[in-house]
Amino acid sequence: MRNKLSGFAVPYVIWMALFVVIPILIMVVYAFTTAEFEGTLENFSEMGIYASVFFRSFRLAFIATLVCLLIGYPVSYWMAREGPAFQRVAMALIMLPMWMNFLLRTYSWMSILENNGLLNQFFGRFGLHFQMIGTPGAVVLGMVYNYLPFMILPIYSVIVKLDHSLLEAARDLGANSAGVFRKVILPLSLPGVLSGVTMVFVPSVSTFAISRLLGGGTQMMLGDLIEQQFLGGAYNPHLGAAISMVMMIVVVVCMVVMNHFGEGEEQAVML
């Protein structure tokens, strides 16, 4: 029986090798070689001139993730406390925008935020005009809009499955609503929070379409920089591979730290 189960895993192993392991190995080779494929570390030393792009990418990704968390957790908690009919309707409304193409959703925000867009036309009636397109705020708004469902869904799925007997026991022991939330619901929902943070932060820090369209070309992020090395006029796939490798390592380290923090919180709750 065990051999049969192992046989079913063969296609998955082949798929992972072709589309995950081999591309990563190619990236590592390019990162540590020159155009003549000679060993070098110059690709990493050249990244110093793009320190501002790294800082901007992680700063905006952190802000977008924090905003998604501040919005997503209350929404998830509210949904979990309502009845099944309301939860189904709310879930459909949250998932509905995701049925549309990612670029189409971003283009729609361009028409809303541009200088003659819908918002400025509305504010113009009151003699007001705002420069929204091409700002960091527009990029953060685009990331929050596109990635907010990835924060809501994992948190909601954890909260809705909480054992209600634990909440009743906490109330029987004298805890008020705030105490039940702080000492029971919040710690037990931490795995969903960490999953949501990871699912929002990782695509946010590597985005390129949102920053290019809503940033107006002035808010370059790591995704734009990598794309520029492979498709732009400054063609340098070796430098692009080095940037991708560093970004991947930083993201993996952040995920390991968050997961370790989550495990510590879960153990504290069990004790």
Side-chain angles (χ1 to χ4, degrees), residues 38-49:
E38 298 176 354
T40 183
L41 295 176
E42 292 183 1
N43 296 321
F44 296 94
S45 61
E46 291 181 13
M47 287 191 298
I49 61 177

Side-chain angles (χ1 to χ4, degrees), residues 77-263:
Y77 181 73
W78 174 48
M79 288 173 54
R81 290 175 59 90
E82 297 295 332
F86 178 87
Q87 292 177 12
R88 287 192 293 269
V89 173
M91 188 66 65
L93 293 176
I94 292 173
M95 297 296 295
L96 186 62
M98 300 180 66
W99 295 352
M100 295 184 292
N101 182 268
F102 178 86
L103 289 177
L104 182 62
R105 300 199 304 267
T106 307
Y107 273 117
S108 66
W109 275 106
M110 289 180 62
S111 64
I112 295 173
L113 300 177
E114 63 185 6
N115 293 332
N116 295 321
L118 297 178
L119 281 181
N120 271 322
Q121 290 181 16
F122 172 77
F123 289 123
R125 298 177 181 272
F126 305 96
L128 301 175
H129 185 274
F130 297 97
Q131 175 63 37
M132 291 176 277
I133 200 77
T135 62
V139 178
V140 171
L141 176 61
M143 290 190 290
V144 170
Y145 172 75
N146 282 288
Y147 301 134
L148 181 59
F150 298 116
M151 181 68 73
I152 294 176
L153 296 180
I155 298 177
Y156 162 77
S157 64
V158 171
I159 295 179
V160 77
K161 295 177 182 177
L162 291 180
D163 189 352
H164 291 280
S165 62
L166 297 176
L167 308 182
E168 295 174 358
R171 294 190 181 95
D172 292 340
L173 292 173
N176 55 21
S177 298
V180 172
F181 176 79
R182 186 178 67 256
K183 295 183 178 181
V184 180
I185 297 177
L186 183 60
L188 292 178
S189 63
L190 192 59
V193 172
L194 293 177
S195 297
V197 168
T198 302
M199 293 174 66
V200 172
F201 181 79
V202 172
S204 295
V205 78
S206 59
T207 187
F208 62 94
I210 297 175
S211 56
R212 185 174 64 231
L213 297 176
L214 298 183
T218 63
Q219 305 297 323
M220 176 179 286
M221 296 182 67
L222 283 174
D224 304 299
L225 180 60
I226 294 172
E227 182 189 35
Q228 189 180 75
Q229 305 306 314
F230 286 93
L231 301 177
Y235 180 76
N236 190 349
H238 298 271
L239 177 59
I243 298 172
S244 301
M245 182 176 175
V246 170
M247 184 183 70
M248 182 182 68
I249 292 174
V250 172
V251 169
V252 169
V253 170
C254 292
M255 292 173 60
V256 170
V257 171
M258 287 189 295
N259 290 334
H260 179 73
F261 173 77
E263 291 175 359

Side-chain angles (χ1 to χ4, degrees), residues 32-40:
F32 286 98
T33 57
T34 63
E36 292 76 24
F37 288 97
E38 298 176 354
T40 183

Side-chain angles (χ1 to χ4, degrees), residues 7-30:
F8 284 116
V10 171
Y12 173 77
V13 173
I14 295 175
W15 181 274
M16 290 290 292
L18 289 176
F19 297 104
V20 178
V21 177
I22 294 178
I24 290 177
L25 293 177
I26 294 174
M27 178 187 67
V28 172
V29 171
Y30 268 75

